[in-house]
Amino acid sequence: TWASIQGTGPSILEIKDVTGKTVAFFSMDIHGFTTFPIDLSGLKAGVYIVTYQGNNTRISQKLIRNK
């Protein structure tokens, strides 16, 4: 799976399960438009919240994982 982010500076991509437990965490330094791989193979089927934080922005979206 790939994630694409546009911004500048330190950024975080965090995935939490429905209980609020962090199940994946990615930290990177973004310069412009960046695409990078994220490994979701360890996630069980279910609903997750993906949150991006960086460049004075915070965005959250629901992720539904089917296996």
Side-chain angles (χ1 to χ4, degrees):
T1 303
W2 292 84
S4 296
I5 297 173
Q6 183 167 346
T8 303
S11 300
I12 294 170
L13 188 71
E14 184 176 27
I15 303 174
K16 293 185 178 186
D17 64 16
V18 292
T19 68
K21 178 183 173 189
T22 299
V23 295
F25 184 87
F26 306 91
S27 178
M28 67 224 72
D29 198 21
I30 302 293
H31 298 285
F33 186 80
T34 304
T35 300
F36 58 95
I38 57 173
D39 182 9
L40 301 179
S41 63
L43 297 182
K44 298 178 182 179
V47 177
Y48 298 88
I49 302 299
V50 179
T51 302
Y52 163 77
Q53 294 182 59
N55 206 29
N56 296 321
T57 302
R58 181 183 174 115
I59 301 169
S60 296
Q61 289 196 324
K62 180 170 51 173
L63 167 70
I64 299 174
R65 171 94 166 131
N66 296 313
K67 278 197 171 180

